Short mmCIF file of all heavy atoms in Angstrom, two decimals:
data_model
loop_
_atom_site.label_atom_id
_atom_site.label_comp_id
_atom_site.label_asym_id
_atom_site.label_seq_id
_atom_site.Cartn_x
_atom_site.Cartn_y
_atom_site.Cartn_z
N MET R 200 39.78 -78.31 98.65
CA MET R 200 40.40 -76.99 98.43
C MET R 200 40.95 -76.93 96.99
O MET R 200 41.60 -77.81 96.51
CB MET R 200 41.53 -76.83 99.45
CG MET R 200 42.20 -75.47 99.40
SD MET R 200 41.05 -74.17 99.88
CE MET R 200 41.97 -72.72 99.42
N VAL R 201 40.63 -75.85 96.29
CA VAL R 201 41.07 -75.63 94.92
C VAL R 201 42.54 -75.18 94.94
O VAL R 201 42.93 -74.30 95.71
CB VAL R 201 40.20 -74.56 94.20
CG1 VAL R 201 40.70 -74.29 92.82
CG2 VAL R 201 38.75 -75.04 94.17
N GLN R 202 43.36 -75.80 94.13
CA GLN R 202 44.79 -75.44 94.04
C GLN R 202 44.91 -74.19 93.18
O GLN R 202 44.50 -74.18 92.03
CB GLN R 202 45.56 -76.59 93.41
CG GLN R 202 45.90 -77.66 94.46
CD GLN R 202 46.76 -77.10 95.58
OE1 GLN R 202 47.65 -76.28 95.43
NE2 GLN R 202 46.43 -77.56 96.85
N PHE R 203 45.44 -73.12 93.67
CA PHE R 203 45.45 -71.86 93.02
C PHE R 203 46.89 -71.46 92.65
O PHE R 203 47.13 -70.75 91.62
CB PHE R 203 44.80 -70.80 93.88
CG PHE R 203 44.28 -69.65 93.11
CD1 PHE R 203 43.31 -69.83 92.11
CD2 PHE R 203 44.74 -68.35 93.36
CE1 PHE R 203 42.81 -68.72 91.38
CE2 PHE R 203 44.30 -67.27 92.62
CZ PHE R 203 43.32 -67.46 91.65
N ASP R 204 47.88 -71.91 93.48
CA ASP R 204 49.26 -71.44 93.24
C ASP R 204 49.78 -71.96 91.94
O ASP R 204 50.49 -71.18 91.24
CB ASP R 204 50.15 -72.01 94.36
CG ASP R 204 49.72 -71.50 95.75
OD1 ASP R 204 48.77 -70.74 95.79
OD2 ASP R 204 50.43 -71.82 96.71
N GLN R 205 49.56 -73.21 91.62
CA GLN R 205 50.19 -73.84 90.44
C GLN R 205 49.88 -73.05 89.15
O GLN R 205 50.87 -72.73 88.45
CB GLN R 205 49.75 -75.32 90.35
CG GLN R 205 50.47 -76.12 89.25
CD GLN R 205 51.97 -76.09 89.48
OE1 GLN R 205 52.52 -75.94 90.51
NE2 GLN R 205 52.71 -76.14 88.35
N PRO R 206 48.63 -72.73 88.84
CA PRO R 206 48.39 -71.99 87.57
C PRO R 206 49.09 -70.62 87.60
O PRO R 206 49.51 -70.15 86.55
CB PRO R 206 46.87 -71.77 87.54
CG PRO R 206 46.33 -72.74 88.54
CD PRO R 206 47.39 -73.09 89.52
N LEU R 207 49.22 -70.00 88.75
CA LEU R 207 49.93 -68.71 88.84
C LEU R 207 51.44 -68.81 88.56
O LEU R 207 52.03 -68.05 87.86
CB LEU R 207 49.65 -68.03 90.16
CG LEU R 207 48.30 -67.48 90.42
CD1 LEU R 207 48.09 -67.01 91.83
CD2 LEU R 207 47.99 -66.35 89.47
N VAL R 208 52.02 -69.94 89.08
CA VAL R 208 53.43 -70.20 88.88
C VAL R 208 53.62 -70.44 87.37
O VAL R 208 54.65 -69.95 86.79
CB VAL R 208 53.91 -71.37 89.72
CG1 VAL R 208 55.32 -71.80 89.34
CG2 VAL R 208 53.92 -70.98 91.21
N VAL R 209 52.77 -71.27 86.77
CA VAL R 209 52.85 -71.53 85.35
C VAL R 209 52.83 -70.23 84.53
O VAL R 209 53.61 -70.02 83.59
CB VAL R 209 51.79 -72.52 84.88
CG1 VAL R 209 51.77 -72.68 83.37
CG2 VAL R 209 51.95 -73.92 85.52
N LEU R 210 51.88 -69.38 84.88
CA LEU R 210 51.76 -68.09 84.16
C LEU R 210 53.05 -67.24 84.33
O LEU R 210 53.54 -66.68 83.36
CB LEU R 210 50.62 -67.29 84.77
CG LEU R 210 49.24 -67.41 84.12
CD1 LEU R 210 48.27 -66.39 84.63
CD2 LEU R 210 49.37 -67.32 82.58
N GLN R 211 53.54 -67.23 85.56
CA GLN R 211 54.76 -66.41 85.83
C GLN R 211 55.89 -66.97 84.95
O GLN R 211 56.70 -66.17 84.32
CB GLN R 211 55.09 -66.55 87.30
CG GLN R 211 56.17 -65.64 87.76
CD GLN R 211 56.47 -65.76 89.24
OE1 GLN R 211 56.43 -66.88 89.78
NE2 GLN R 211 56.73 -64.63 89.92
N ASP R 212 56.06 -68.27 84.90
CA ASP R 212 57.15 -68.85 84.10
C ASP R 212 56.92 -68.56 82.63
O ASP R 212 57.90 -68.24 81.92
CB ASP R 212 57.22 -70.38 84.30
CG ASP R 212 57.72 -70.72 85.69
OD1 ASP R 212 58.24 -69.83 86.36
OD2 ASP R 212 57.57 -71.90 86.10
N ALA R 213 55.69 -68.62 82.16
CA ALA R 213 55.39 -68.36 80.73
C ALA R 213 55.79 -66.93 80.36
O ALA R 213 56.29 -66.69 79.30
CB ALA R 213 53.91 -68.57 80.45
N ILE R 214 55.50 -66.00 81.27
CA ILE R 214 55.85 -64.60 81.02
C ILE R 214 57.37 -64.44 81.02
O ILE R 214 57.94 -63.82 80.08
CB ILE R 214 55.18 -63.62 82.07
CG1 ILE R 214 53.66 -63.64 81.92
CG2 ILE R 214 55.75 -62.26 82.03
CD1 ILE R 214 52.91 -63.09 83.06
N LYS R 215 58.05 -65.03 81.96
CA LYS R 215 59.52 -65.00 82.01
C LYS R 215 60.13 -65.53 80.72
O LYS R 215 61.09 -64.99 80.18
CB LYS R 215 60.04 -65.73 83.22
CG LYS R 215 60.04 -64.93 84.47
CD LYS R 215 60.73 -65.71 85.58
CE LYS R 215 60.37 -65.10 86.96
NZ LYS R 215 60.48 -66.06 88.03
N GLN R 216 59.51 -66.68 80.23
CA GLN R 216 60.03 -67.31 79.02
C GLN R 216 59.50 -66.69 77.72
O GLN R 216 59.82 -67.11 76.65
CB GLN R 216 59.71 -68.83 79.06
CG GLN R 216 60.36 -69.56 80.19
CD GLN R 216 59.70 -70.95 80.44
OE1 GLN R 216 59.06 -71.48 79.57
NE2 GLN R 216 59.96 -71.53 81.61
N LYS R 217 58.62 -65.69 77.88
CA LYS R 217 57.92 -65.07 76.72
C LYS R 217 57.34 -66.12 75.83
O LYS R 217 57.44 -66.08 74.60
CB LYS R 217 58.91 -64.18 75.93
CG LYS R 217 59.45 -63.03 76.71
CD LYS R 217 60.30 -62.13 75.88
CE LYS R 217 61.15 -61.12 76.63
NZ LYS R 217 60.60 -60.06 77.26
N SER R 218 56.61 -67.13 76.45
CA SER R 218 56.02 -68.18 75.78
C SER R 218 54.48 -67.99 75.63
O SER R 218 53.78 -68.10 76.63
CB SER R 218 56.35 -69.55 76.38
OG SER R 218 55.48 -70.55 75.79
N ALA R 219 54.04 -67.60 74.40
CA ALA R 219 52.57 -67.45 74.27
C ALA R 219 51.78 -68.74 74.49
O ALA R 219 50.68 -68.72 75.01
CB ALA R 219 52.32 -66.87 72.85
N VAL R 220 52.39 -69.83 74.03
CA VAL R 220 51.69 -71.09 74.14
C VAL R 220 51.47 -71.49 75.59
O VAL R 220 50.39 -71.82 76.07
CB VAL R 220 52.50 -72.25 73.44
CG1 VAL R 220 51.89 -73.60 73.64
CG2 VAL R 220 52.50 -71.96 71.94
N LYS R 221 52.57 -71.37 76.44
CA LYS R 221 52.48 -71.68 77.86
C LYS R 221 51.56 -70.67 78.55
O LYS R 221 50.85 -71.12 79.46
CB LYS R 221 53.91 -71.63 78.51
CG LYS R 221 54.68 -72.87 78.24
CD LYS R 221 55.98 -72.82 79.09
CE LYS R 221 56.84 -73.97 78.73
NZ LYS R 221 58.18 -73.91 79.33
N PHE R 222 51.58 -69.45 78.14
CA PHE R 222 50.71 -68.45 78.75
C PHE R 222 49.28 -68.79 78.52
O PHE R 222 48.43 -68.74 79.46
CB PHE R 222 51.02 -67.02 78.16
CG PHE R 222 50.17 -65.94 78.90
CD1 PHE R 222 50.63 -65.38 80.05
CD2 PHE R 222 48.93 -65.67 78.44
CE1 PHE R 222 49.89 -64.40 80.69
CE2 PHE R 222 48.11 -64.69 79.11
CZ PHE R 222 48.64 -64.09 80.26
N ALA R 223 48.93 -69.19 77.28
CA ALA R 223 47.51 -69.52 76.95
C ALA R 223 47.03 -70.71 77.80
O ALA R 223 45.96 -70.68 78.37
CB ALA R 223 47.39 -69.81 75.48
N GLN R 224 47.93 -71.72 77.95
CA GLN R 224 47.52 -72.86 78.77
C GLN R 224 47.39 -72.51 80.27
O GLN R 224 46.42 -72.88 80.92
CB GLN R 224 48.60 -73.98 78.60
CG GLN R 224 48.25 -75.29 79.35
CD GLN R 224 46.87 -75.83 78.88
OE1 GLN R 224 46.67 -76.07 77.70
NE2 GLN R 224 45.99 -76.14 79.80
N GLY R 225 48.34 -71.69 80.75
CA GLY R 225 48.34 -71.26 82.17
C GLY R 225 47.10 -70.41 82.46
O GLY R 225 46.49 -70.51 83.47
N TYR R 226 46.77 -69.56 81.50
CA TYR R 226 45.62 -68.69 81.64
C TYR R 226 44.37 -69.49 81.73
O TYR R 226 43.43 -69.25 82.57
CB TYR R 226 45.54 -67.66 80.50
CG TYR R 226 44.63 -66.48 80.82
CD1 TYR R 226 45.11 -65.35 81.40
CD2 TYR R 226 43.23 -66.55 80.57
CE1 TYR R 226 44.32 -64.26 81.73
CE2 TYR R 226 42.40 -65.47 80.88
CZ TYR R 226 42.93 -64.36 81.45
OH TYR R 226 42.12 -63.29 81.81
N ALA R 227 44.25 -70.51 80.84
CA ALA R 227 43.07 -71.40 80.82
C ALA R 227 42.94 -72.16 82.18
O ALA R 227 41.85 -72.20 82.73
CB ALA R 227 43.18 -72.39 79.69
N ASP R 228 44.09 -72.68 82.68
CA ASP R 228 44.07 -73.36 83.94
C ASP R 228 43.67 -72.43 85.08
O ASP R 228 42.97 -72.81 86.00
CB ASP R 228 45.44 -74.00 84.22
CG ASP R 228 45.72 -75.18 83.29
OD1 ASP R 228 44.76 -75.64 82.66
OD2 ASP R 228 46.86 -75.59 83.24
N LEU R 229 44.21 -71.18 85.06
CA LEU R 229 43.92 -70.20 86.13
C LEU R 229 42.44 -69.94 86.13
O LEU R 229 41.79 -69.86 87.16
CB LEU R 229 44.68 -68.94 85.92
CG LEU R 229 44.45 -67.86 86.96
CD1 LEU R 229 44.94 -68.26 88.32
CD2 LEU R 229 45.14 -66.54 86.52
N THR R 230 41.86 -69.74 84.93
CA THR R 230 40.43 -69.45 84.77
C THR R 230 39.62 -70.58 85.36
O THR R 230 38.58 -70.34 86.06
CB THR R 230 40.09 -69.23 83.30
OG1 THR R 230 40.91 -68.12 82.82
CG2 THR R 230 38.66 -68.84 83.08
N LEU R 231 40.00 -71.85 85.08
CA LEU R 231 39.32 -72.98 85.70
C LEU R 231 39.41 -72.96 87.22
O LEU R 231 38.45 -73.29 87.90
CB LEU R 231 39.87 -74.29 85.13
CG LEU R 231 39.52 -74.72 83.69
CD1 LEU R 231 40.22 -76.03 83.33
CD2 LEU R 231 38.02 -74.88 83.60
N ALA R 232 40.60 -72.56 87.74
CA ALA R 232 40.79 -72.53 89.17
C ALA R 232 39.90 -71.47 89.75
O ALA R 232 39.33 -71.69 90.86
CB ALA R 232 42.25 -72.28 89.48
N CYS R 233 39.72 -70.29 89.14
CA CYS R 233 38.81 -69.27 89.65
C CYS R 233 37.44 -69.84 89.83
O CYS R 233 36.85 -69.80 90.91
CB CYS R 233 38.74 -68.08 88.58
SG CYS R 233 40.27 -67.27 88.25
N SER R 234 36.90 -70.33 88.73
CA SER R 234 35.50 -70.86 88.74
C SER R 234 35.41 -72.04 89.69
O SER R 234 34.34 -72.24 90.33
CB SER R 234 35.06 -71.20 87.35
OG SER R 234 35.01 -70.02 86.59
N GLY R 235 36.41 -72.88 89.80
CA GLY R 235 36.42 -74.10 90.65
C GLY R 235 36.23 -73.67 92.13
O GLY R 235 35.47 -74.23 92.88
N CYS R 236 37.00 -72.61 92.52
CA CYS R 236 36.89 -72.18 93.91
C CYS R 236 35.45 -71.53 94.14
O CYS R 236 34.89 -71.76 95.18
CB CYS R 236 37.98 -71.11 94.23
SG CYS R 236 38.00 -70.75 96.01
N HIS R 237 34.99 -70.80 93.11
CA HIS R 237 33.66 -70.23 93.35
C HIS R 237 32.62 -71.32 93.59
O HIS R 237 31.73 -71.21 94.40
CB HIS R 237 33.28 -69.34 92.14
CG HIS R 237 34.14 -68.14 92.03
ND1 HIS R 237 34.42 -67.49 90.81
CD2 HIS R 237 34.89 -67.44 92.96
CE1 HIS R 237 35.17 -66.46 91.02
NE2 HIS R 237 35.51 -66.43 92.29
N LYS R 238 32.74 -72.39 92.79
CA LYS R 238 31.83 -73.54 92.89
C LYS R 238 31.90 -74.10 94.32
O LYS R 238 30.86 -74.28 95.00
CB LYS R 238 32.23 -74.60 91.85
CG LYS R 238 31.03 -74.94 90.95
CD LYS R 238 31.39 -76.05 90.01
CE LYS R 238 30.94 -75.64 88.65
NZ LYS R 238 31.44 -76.39 87.57
N SER R 239 33.16 -74.44 94.79
CA SER R 239 33.33 -75.05 96.10
C SER R 239 32.96 -74.12 97.25
O SER R 239 32.63 -74.57 98.34
CB SER R 239 34.68 -75.70 96.24
OG SER R 239 35.67 -74.72 96.07
N ALA R 240 32.96 -72.80 96.97
CA ALA R 240 32.59 -71.82 98.01
C ALA R 240 31.13 -71.48 98.01
O ALA R 240 30.69 -70.66 98.72
CB ALA R 240 33.42 -70.55 97.83
N GLY R 241 30.39 -72.15 97.08
CA GLY R 241 28.91 -71.94 97.05
C GLY R 241 28.52 -70.70 96.28
O GLY R 241 27.36 -70.30 96.39
N VAL R 242 29.49 -70.18 95.49
CA VAL R 242 29.11 -69.03 94.64
C VAL R 242 29.40 -69.28 93.22
O VAL R 242 30.01 -68.50 92.43
CB VAL R 242 29.81 -67.66 95.10
CG1 VAL R 242 29.25 -67.21 96.42
CG2 VAL R 242 31.33 -67.86 95.24
N GLY R 243 29.02 -70.56 92.77
CA GLY R 243 29.32 -71.09 91.42
C GLY R 243 28.70 -70.17 90.33
O GLY R 243 29.10 -70.33 89.11
N PHE R 244 27.77 -69.31 90.69
CA PHE R 244 27.21 -68.43 89.63
C PHE R 244 28.21 -67.33 89.21
O PHE R 244 28.02 -66.69 88.16
CB PHE R 244 25.95 -67.75 90.17
CG PHE R 244 26.10 -66.95 91.49
CD1 PHE R 244 26.53 -65.69 91.46
CD2 PHE R 244 25.90 -67.60 92.71
CE1 PHE R 244 26.70 -64.96 92.62
CE2 PHE R 244 26.11 -66.93 93.87
CZ PHE R 244 26.52 -65.59 93.85
N ILE R 245 29.29 -67.17 89.96
CA ILE R 245 30.39 -66.30 89.55
C ILE R 245 31.32 -67.13 88.68
O ILE R 245 32.28 -67.70 89.16
CB ILE R 245 31.17 -65.64 90.73
CG1 ILE R 245 30.16 -64.93 91.65
CG2 ILE R 245 32.19 -64.65 90.23
CD1 ILE R 245 30.75 -64.43 92.94
N ALA R 246 31.00 -67.21 87.41
CA ALA R 246 31.74 -68.06 86.47
C ALA R 246 32.69 -67.17 85.67
O ALA R 246 32.23 -66.20 84.99
CB ALA R 246 30.81 -68.82 85.56
N ILE R 247 33.96 -67.45 85.69
CA ILE R 247 34.97 -66.68 85.00
C ILE R 247 35.29 -67.29 83.65
O ILE R 247 35.34 -68.47 83.50
CB ILE R 247 36.27 -66.58 85.82
CG1 ILE R 247 35.96 -66.07 87.22
CG2 ILE R 247 37.28 -65.71 85.16
CD1 ILE R 247 35.35 -64.75 87.34
N LYS R 248 35.47 -66.47 82.60
CA LYS R 248 35.82 -67.00 81.28
C LYS R 248 36.95 -66.10 80.67
O LYS R 248 37.16 -64.98 81.16
CB LYS R 248 34.59 -67.05 80.31
CG LYS R 248 34.08 -65.68 79.94
CD LYS R 248 32.92 -65.86 78.98
CE LYS R 248 32.34 -64.53 78.61
NZ LYS R 248 32.69 -63.99 77.37
N LYS R 249 37.53 -66.63 79.63
CA LYS R 249 38.57 -65.89 78.96
C LYS R 249 37.97 -64.62 78.31
O LYS R 249 36.93 -64.72 77.68
CB LYS R 249 39.17 -66.77 77.86
CG LYS R 249 40.40 -66.25 77.16
CD LYS R 249 40.90 -67.27 76.17
CE LYS R 249 41.39 -66.63 74.93
NZ LYS R 249 41.60 -67.56 73.82
N PRO R 250 38.59 -63.44 78.41
CA PRO R 250 38.04 -62.25 77.79
C PRO R 250 37.92 -62.38 76.32
O PRO R 250 38.81 -63.03 75.65
CB PRO R 250 39.04 -61.16 78.18
CG PRO R 250 39.90 -61.71 79.23
CD PRO R 250 39.87 -63.16 79.12
N THR R 251 36.91 -61.84 75.71
CA THR R 251 36.67 -61.90 74.27
C THR R 251 37.11 -60.61 73.58
O THR R 251 37.17 -60.54 72.34
CB THR R 251 35.25 -62.24 73.91
OG1 THR R 251 34.40 -61.32 74.60
CG2 THR R 251 34.92 -63.68 74.33
N SER R 252 37.39 -59.60 74.36
CA SER R 252 37.83 -58.33 73.79
C SER R 252 38.63 -57.57 74.84
O SER R 252 38.60 -57.85 76.02
CB SER R 252 36.65 -57.49 73.37
OG SER R 252 35.89 -57.16 74.50
N SER R 253 39.44 -56.61 74.36
CA SER R 253 40.23 -55.79 75.28
C SER R 253 39.41 -54.81 76.00
O SER R 253 38.48 -54.24 75.47
CB SER R 253 41.32 -55.02 74.40
OG SER R 253 41.82 -54.00 75.20
N PRO R 254 39.68 -54.57 77.32
CA PRO R 254 38.95 -53.50 78.02
C PRO R 254 39.36 -52.13 77.56
O PRO R 254 38.65 -51.16 77.86
CB PRO R 254 39.37 -53.74 79.49
CG PRO R 254 40.67 -54.51 79.47
CD PRO R 254 40.64 -55.28 78.18
N PHE R 255 40.45 -52.02 76.75
CA PHE R 255 40.88 -50.73 76.26
C PHE R 255 40.38 -50.57 74.85
O PHE R 255 41.15 -50.71 73.90
CB PHE R 255 42.42 -50.60 76.30
CG PHE R 255 42.96 -50.86 77.72
CD1 PHE R 255 43.58 -52.04 77.96
CD2 PHE R 255 42.88 -49.95 78.69
CE1 PHE R 255 44.06 -52.32 79.24
CE2 PHE R 255 43.39 -50.19 79.92
CZ PHE R 255 43.98 -51.39 80.21
N CYS R 256 39.07 -50.33 74.67
CA CYS R 256 38.44 -50.41 73.38
C CYS R 256 38.85 -49.20 72.47
O CYS R 256 38.64 -49.28 71.26
CB CYS R 256 36.90 -50.52 73.52
SG CYS R 256 36.22 -49.15 74.37
N ASP R 257 39.38 -48.15 73.06
CA ASP R 257 39.69 -46.98 72.20
C ASP R 257 41.20 -46.77 72.04
O ASP R 257 41.67 -45.72 71.70
CB ASP R 257 39.07 -45.70 72.79
CG ASP R 257 39.62 -45.40 74.20
OD1 ASP R 257 40.24 -46.25 74.75
OD2 ASP R 257 39.35 -44.30 74.70
N GLN R 258 41.96 -47.84 72.33
CA GLN R 258 43.40 -47.72 72.22
C GLN R 258 43.97 -48.79 71.31
O GLN R 258 43.50 -49.96 71.41
CB GLN R 258 44.07 -47.82 73.55
CG GLN R 258 45.55 -47.57 73.56
CD GLN R 258 46.18 -47.60 74.94
OE1 GLN R 258 45.47 -47.83 75.88
NE2 GLN R 258 47.51 -47.48 75.00
N THR R 259 44.83 -48.45 70.37
CA THR R 259 45.48 -49.49 69.54
C THR R 259 46.83 -49.80 70.07
O THR R 259 47.52 -48.93 70.60
CB THR R 259 45.53 -49.02 68.08
OG1 THR R 259 46.37 -49.94 67.34
CG2 THR R 259 46.14 -47.59 67.91
N PHE R 260 47.20 -51.07 70.00
CA PHE R 260 48.47 -51.48 70.57
C PHE R 260 49.46 -51.92 69.45
O PHE R 260 50.42 -52.67 69.69
CB PHE R 260 48.29 -52.63 71.56
CG PHE R 260 47.56 -52.12 72.81
CD1 PHE R 260 46.20 -52.22 72.90
CD2 PHE R 260 48.30 -51.54 73.85
CE1 PHE R 260 45.51 -51.81 74.04
CE2 PHE R 260 47.62 -51.10 74.95
CZ PHE R 260 46.21 -51.23 75.07
N GLU R 261 49.17 -51.45 68.25
CA GLU R 261 50.09 -51.73 67.09
C GLU R 261 51.39 -51.00 67.30
O GLU R 261 51.36 -49.84 67.72
CB GLU R 261 49.48 -51.30 65.75
CG GLU R 261 48.22 -52.05 65.37
CD GLU R 261 48.46 -53.53 65.24
OE1 GLU R 261 49.46 -53.95 64.66
OE2 GLU R 261 47.60 -54.29 65.73
N PRO R 262 52.56 -51.69 67.10
CA PRO R 262 53.79 -51.02 67.25
C PRO R 262 53.94 -49.91 66.17
O PRO R 262 53.49 -50.08 65.08
CB PRO R 262 54.85 -52.08 66.99
CG PRO R 262 54.12 -53.30 66.47
CD PRO R 262 52.64 -53.10 66.64
N VAL R 263 54.52 -48.79 66.61
CA VAL R 263 54.75 -47.71 65.65
C VAL R 263 56.25 -47.31 65.71
O VAL R 263 56.90 -47.52 66.66
CB VAL R 263 53.96 -46.38 66.04
CG1 VAL R 263 52.45 -46.59 65.82
CG2 VAL R 263 54.20 -45.96 67.47
N ALA R 264 56.72 -46.78 64.53
CA ALA R 264 58.09 -46.32 64.44
C ALA R 264 58.25 -45.11 65.34
O ALA R 264 57.34 -44.27 65.42
CB ALA R 264 58.44 -46.01 63.04
N ARG R 265 59.36 -45.02 66.01
CA ARG R 265 59.54 -43.85 66.91
C ARG R 265 60.13 -42.67 66.15
O ARG R 265 60.90 -42.85 65.23
CB ARG R 265 60.45 -44.21 68.03
CG ARG R 265 59.82 -45.19 68.96
CD ARG R 265 60.57 -45.44 70.17
NE ARG R 265 60.01 -46.52 70.92
CZ ARG R 265 59.99 -46.65 72.24
NH1 ARG R 265 60.61 -45.78 72.93
NH2 ARG R 265 59.42 -47.68 72.81
C1 LIG S 918 40.01 -69.33 97.30
C2 LIG S 918 38.76 -69.25 96.55
C3 LIG S 918 38.65 -68.29 95.37
C4 LIG S 918 39.52 -68.14 94.31
C5 LIG S 918 40.78 -68.92 94.03
C6 LIG S 918 38.91 -67.12 93.46
N1 LIG S 918 37.80 -66.64 94.03
FE1 LIG S 918 36.64 -65.13 93.26
N2 LIG S 918 35.41 -65.26 94.86
C7 LIG S 918 35.51 -66.15 95.88
C8 LIG S 918 34.37 -65.97 96.78
C9 LIG S 918 34.12 -66.83 98.05
C10 LIG S 918 33.62 -64.95 96.28
C11 LIG S 918 32.31 -64.33 96.84
C12 LIG S 918 32.77 -63.25 97.85
C13 LIG S 918 31.47 -62.63 98.45
O1 LIG S 918 30.72 -63.36 98.94
O2 LIG S 918 31.38 -61.40 98.39
C14 LIG S 918 34.29 -64.50 95.05
C15 LIG S 918 33.85 -63.44 94.29
C16 LIG S 918 34.40 -63.07 93.04
C17 LIG S 918 33.89 -62.07 92.19
C18 LIG S 918 32.66 -61.22 92.45
C19 LIG S 918 33.10 -60.03 93.27
C20 LIG S 918 31.98 -59.07 93.41
O3 LIG S 918 32.00 -58.23 94.32
O4 LIG S 918 30.99 -59.11 92.65
C21 LIG S 918 34.67 -62.01 91.10
C22 LIG S 918 34.54 -61.10 89.88
C23 LIG S 918 35.71 -63.00 91.31
N3 LIG S 918 35.54 -63.65 92.47
C24 LIG S 918 36.73 -63.24 90.36
C25 LIG S 918 37.75 -64.16 90.57
C26 LIG S 918 38.76 -64.43 89.61
C27 LIG S 918 38.94 -63.72 88.31
C28 LIG S 918 39.55 -65.40 90.16
C29 LIG S 918 40.78 -66.07 89.56
C30 LIG S 918 41.84 -65.19 89.08
C31 LIG S 918 38.99 -65.75 91.47
N4 LIG S 918 37.90 -64.97 91.65
C32 LIG S 918 39.49 -66.72 92.29
C33 LIG S 918 36.48 -67.14 96.03
C34 LIG S 918 37.56 -67.33 95.18
#
């Protein structure tokens, strides 16, 4: 059985602590857990990877003065 809780707890803590470094590690571990479960469930062709671009391609997230 693939352990799924741990990477989620790490991500939650990273967000609470506003730690980009911990978030990146937690996200990488979560992604491995996704694909690990797919492999052990016989659907290893569903391989998850880190996104390479934002799904919001027409929106900018730069801070602006109010
Ligand atoms: C407990 C095991 C397990 C975990 C953990 C898991 N998956 Fe899956 N996932 C499956 C199984 C089994 C299927 C195939 C379901 C089916 O046969 O329709 C699936 C299917 C999918 C699909 C295809 C759905 C579709 O309809 O095309 C996607 C996308 C997906 N998972 C993403 C993820 C992501 C992202 C994560 C991690 C955040 C994740 N999964 C974690 C077991 C898991």
Side-chain angles (χ1 to χ4, degrees):
M200 184 66 192
V201 176
Q202 280 299 320
F203 203 60
D204 297 4
Q205 188 56 30
L207 287 174
V208 170
V209 171
L210 268 189
Q211 189 178 40
D212 289 348
I214 292 167
K215 277 186 194 153
Q216 296 166 19
K217 298 186 194 286
S218 167
V220 172
K221 280 187 186 172
F222 184 89
Q224 185 58 53
Y226 196 92
D228 290 346
L229 179 66
T230 302
L231 283 178
C233 300
S234 295
C236 188
H237 294 155
K238 237 181 225 165
S239 58
V242 291
F244 56 88
I245 305 172
I247 307 300
K248 67 178 179 100
K249 187 175 141 195
T251 52
S252 63
S253 165
F255 306 104
C256 60
D257 61 349
Q258 185 176 359
T259 169
F260 292 94
E261 295 302 317
V263 290
R265 292 188 188 211

